[in-house]
Amino acid sequence: MTYKALQSGLRSLQLEIFGAFHTAPEDNAPSGTKTLLLLGPYEPGFWPHFTASPEYLDGAADPLDRWSKRIITPWANSQNASAIFPSDGPSFAPFIQWAKNSGRAWGSPVGLLVHDVAGLFVSYRAAVALHVQIDLPNTGQNPCITCSKPCLTACPVNALTGEYDVARCKSHLNTPTGKACMETGCLVRTACPAGHSYGRLPQQSAFHMAAFNPDDPTPDPDTPR
Ligand code: SF4
Ligand code: SF4
């Protein structure tokens, strides 16, 4: 079992390794874990792949979570590993700490996690707990170090200035000028140059925004919730 072989198998499922690390007891990984993989969408192409799936098309709740479980659980089992999902809980697995442990994600100036490749659009579909220690590639570099920090001024209502003011954000989203965030994604996340080359589509962001703000008074009929 090698990192490259695992990555290749995951990419064929439109998934990517967003980070990996060798676990220690204090990491709260499942018993017997030696290496933890963190999985995210593989771009470009994730959105058209997912929107052709039965989970997206059946109109039932939580299509992305259901797709993730259907695809990732059997793949993990095929590696004699187990899959852990961010939505499993309570108690929920410490994905943010795991992300930081991977050396490929950091706390950003706006408080959200930022990833070396996906920027502020980072999202983890699952973790996979391997019972073997595999060699891992070098980690990335924190993109904030050399950045002019457009994230700090991108929110029109200053809802993300270190501590996320969710109420302020949602009140803006439900006004006509909030449509920009609802239709193409959070302007703070969009402003982050670290994720610009990773191929995230506006439709994908609109899907997540609809899930985040189901009270949108004028929802897009083509975006499932
Ligand atoms: S915009 Fe720059 S400073 Fe802000 S999270 Fe992205 S890389 Fe970091
Ligand atoms: S979604 Fe829009 S209003 Fe909310 S934090 Fe992001 S930029 Fe601000």
Side-chain angles (χ1 to χ4, degrees):
M1 182 183 293
T2 65
Y3 183 94
K4 281 271 178 212
L6 293 168
Q7 185 181 52
S8 171
L10 285 163
R11 285 181 172 181
S12 72
L13 302 172
Q14 212 62 45
L15 290 159
E16 178 62 293
I17 300 175
F18 265 22
F21 63 99
H22 298 142
T23 55
E26 63 269 24
D27 294 326
N28 290 318
S31 175
T33 305
K34 296 277 180 49
T35 307
L36 200 77
L37 306 179
L38 296 167
L39 308 187
Y42 179 42
E43 304 287 7
F46 179 80
W47 192 242
H49 180 86
F50 166 62
T51 52
S53 71
E55 288 84 1
Y56 183 85
L57 296 170
D58 67 13
D62 304 322
L64 189 51
D65 287 344
R66 290 185 292 118
W67 177 88
S68 299
K69 291 192 173 186
R70 177 173 65 83
I71 299 297
I72 297 171
T73 300
W75 181 84
N77 292 342
S78 75
Q79 307 300 321
N80 295 319
S82 57
I84 307 121
F85 297 90
S87 58
D88 286 346
S91 60
F92 297 100
F95 269 82
I96 291 177
Q97 189 57 50
W98 287 348
K100 291 178 178 175
N101 289 358
S102 76
R104 293 188 57 194
W106 303 265
S108 72
V110 287
L112 306 172
L113 271 187
V114 61
H115 184 260
D116 58 354
V117 172
L120 288 177
F121 277 123
V122 61
S123 71
Y124 298 96
R125 300 307 331 144
V128 171
L130 300 173
H131 295 275
V132 290
Q133 186 157 315
I134 61 167
D135 290 338
L136 299 176
N138 292 335
T139 53
Q141 184 181 327
N142 183 342
C144 303
I145 293 169
T146 54
C147 180
S148 63
K149 301 184 174 39
C151 56
L152 285 172
T153 51
C155 177
V157 292
N158 293 322
L160 261 169
T161 50
E163 192 153 327
Y164 191 5
D165 189 336
V166 175
R168 180 185 283 238
C169 167
K170 286 193 173 179
S171 345
H172 175 68
L173 295 179
N174 293 329
T175 66
T177 48
K179 276 284 167 204
C181 297
M182 288 302 299
E183 290 176 356
T184 59
C186 170
L187 301 180
V188 173
R189 297 180 194 268
T190 307
C192 176
H196 283 177
S197 61
Y198 199 57
R200 164 96 166 216
L201 295 178
Q203 299 94 308
Q204 186 173 349
S205 295
F207 169 84
H208 288 288
M209 292 302 293
F212 170 67
N213 182 40
D215 298 332
D216 180 7
T218 55
D220 176 357
D222 294 330
T223 303
R225 310 181 156 243

